[in-house]
Amino acid sequence: MLTIDPTSVCDVCNDQYGVVCLPYLIPCGHTFCRSCLVNISDNNPKGAACPLCRERFTLESICLVRVDPADPLPKLSYDGFLPSDDTDSDFSDRARSPWNQEPRIREEARALELRVQKAASVKCTFEEVSELRDDIQNWLLTEPKYKPNGKFPALRLSAALLRAILLNSLAYTEASKASKLVENGLLEKIKQLEANQTVLEADVKRAKLQTGEKQHEIGQLRLEIERLRKANPNAAGSTRLHSSFFPGPSSPPTSPTTPTSPAPSSSASAYMTSPEAHSSRVPLPPP
């Protein structure tokens, strides 16, 4: 009976042979998984060929290889010692057969891929996306022996994309908060300016009313003055100031220091100019 090493993989998809990935033999003697052989046949309608030797084959000519995997590491027991049941210990990892772990790992990976597809088709919250990303990251980090870096590229890419989505969401949230604060500040300023505008408009309206009242009073006073002038035209002259209080250039003011003497009469002037008046003067005695 033909046996295959438990670590053998398909040369096309590089998946390890197991319960869900069974090897199939083609006429040239090479083995591949059935899904790869079907894809090769569908993509080559003129005739499928072996990827290694290019020999032609058909799906009717392939046959399943019976595999009887043996336990690579049988359980050991010593006096007073039993292997630990801790699934995370190195001993238990070595003791477990890869034929039993491969289906479980592939099922877990498929379940995570379905969760990613569902999250991409519907609108999820930040918490849901964060939880999905953490689950994928933790799953990839556990049991690294069965999850090397080259395997499960879709899940690794999904974890990176989910992380980028979370970072963008955080940045958008912070920007939204900042813009909301700015918007609230501008709204407060607009309200304050509107209140000031209302006060100023009220002041302008009140000032216009007062101006109209004053103009009306001025008009009434002018009408009253015109009526009084027409009723008593002489009263206008009496209200003027007398001209003697404001002498003009035609009547210069007299000096207050030079007294004015009355003009001498004709008899007095004749007496002072006659010779008898001069001769009748009595001489004064010497001192």
Side-chain angles (χ1 to χ4, degrees):
M1 182 178 62
L2 178 63
T3 59
I4 296 179
D5 187 83
T7 59
S8 298
V9 296
C10 175
D11 293 329
V12 176
C13 63
N14 202 30
D15 286 345
Q16 188 175 1
Y17 291 131
V19 178
V20 296
C21 183
L22 295 175
Y24 280 80
L25 183 67
I26 59 178
C28 64
H30 294 114
T31 57
F32 304 95
C33 66
R34 180 175 177 81
S35 61
C36 292
L37 295 175
V38 172
N39 291 333
I40 293 173
S41 178
D42 293 340
N43 294 329
N44 296 277
K46 295 182 178 180
C50 175
L52 299 179
C53 64
R54 309 307 299 172
E55 183 178 343
R56 299 285 181 175
F57 72 92
T58 60
L59 294 179
E60 291 77 9
S61 62
I62 66 176
C63 59
L64 176 65
V65 178
R66 301 292 180 180
V67 180
D68 186 15
D71 192 354
L73 185 61
K75 293 184 179 180
L76 302 175
S77 63
Y78 299 94
D79 295 336
F81 175 80
L82 290 175
S84 174
D85 292 332
D86 187 6
T87 57
D88 293 333
S89 64
D90 294 337
F91 183 84
S92 61
D93 285 341
R94 290 194 301 270
R96 289 178 298 183
S97 173
W99 297 96
N100 298 328
Q101 299 303 317
E102 183 70 20
R104 177 183 61 83
I105 292 176
R106 292 181 66 88
E107 289 178 1
E108 293 176 354
R110 183 58 180 170
L112 291 174
E113 291 176 356
L114 291 177
R115 289 180 60 186
V116 173
Q117 293 178 3
K118 183 178 179 181
S121 61
V122 297
K123 186 176 182 180
C124 299
T125 62
F126 181 87
E127 290 76 13
E128 293 175 348
V129 175
S130 179
E131 181 181 0
L132 177 58
R133 189 259 177 186
D134 293 339
D135 291 344
I136 295 175
Q137 193 67 23
N138 294 333
W139 185 83
L140 291 173
L141 294 177
T142 56
E143 298 180 334
K145 179 180 178 179
Y146 304 104
K147 305 166 189 175
N149 293 330
K151 295 192 70 175
F152 308 107
L155 289 178
R156 298 181 188 278
L157 180 60
S158 299
L161 292 176
L162 291 175
R163 181 177 182 273
I165 291 172
L166 292 174
L167 292 177
N168 290 336
S169 179
L170 289 175
Y172 175 77
T173 302
E174 295 297 329
S176 299
K177 290 180 180 179
S179 62
K180 192 65 176 179
L181 292 176
V182 175
E183 181 181 0
N184 292 336
L186 293 176
L187 289 176
E188 290 295 332
K189 291 183 178 179
I190 291 173
K191 290 181 180 179
Q192 185 177 1
L193 291 175
E194 289 178 350
N196 295 337
Q197 181 181 2
T198 303
V199 173
L200 292 176
E201 288 177 353
D203 293 341
V204 170
K205 186 176 181 180
R206 184 168 55 255
K208 288 182 177 180
L209 292 175
Q210 293 177 356
T211 303
E213 293 176 356
K214 296 298 182 182
Q215 290 178 352
H216 181 69
E217 292 178 0
I218 292 172
Q220 293 294 331
L221 291 175
R222 287 179 177 175
L223 292 175
E224 186 65 20
I225 291 173
E226 292 295 332
R227 187 183 64 79
L228 293 175
R229 285 180 178 176
K230 292 178 179 179
N232 191 5
N234 296 326
S238 62
T239 57
R240 298 178 182 176
L241 297 176
H242 198 274
S243 60
S244 61
F245 293 98
F246 300 94
S250 60
S251 59
T254 59
S255 175
T257 58
T258 54
T260 57
S261 59
S265 61
S266 59
S267 59
S269 60
Y271 172 74
M272 293 179 68
T273 55
S274 63
E276 291 81 7
H278 289 284
S279 61
S280 60
R281 291 181 183 176
V282 178
L284 296 173

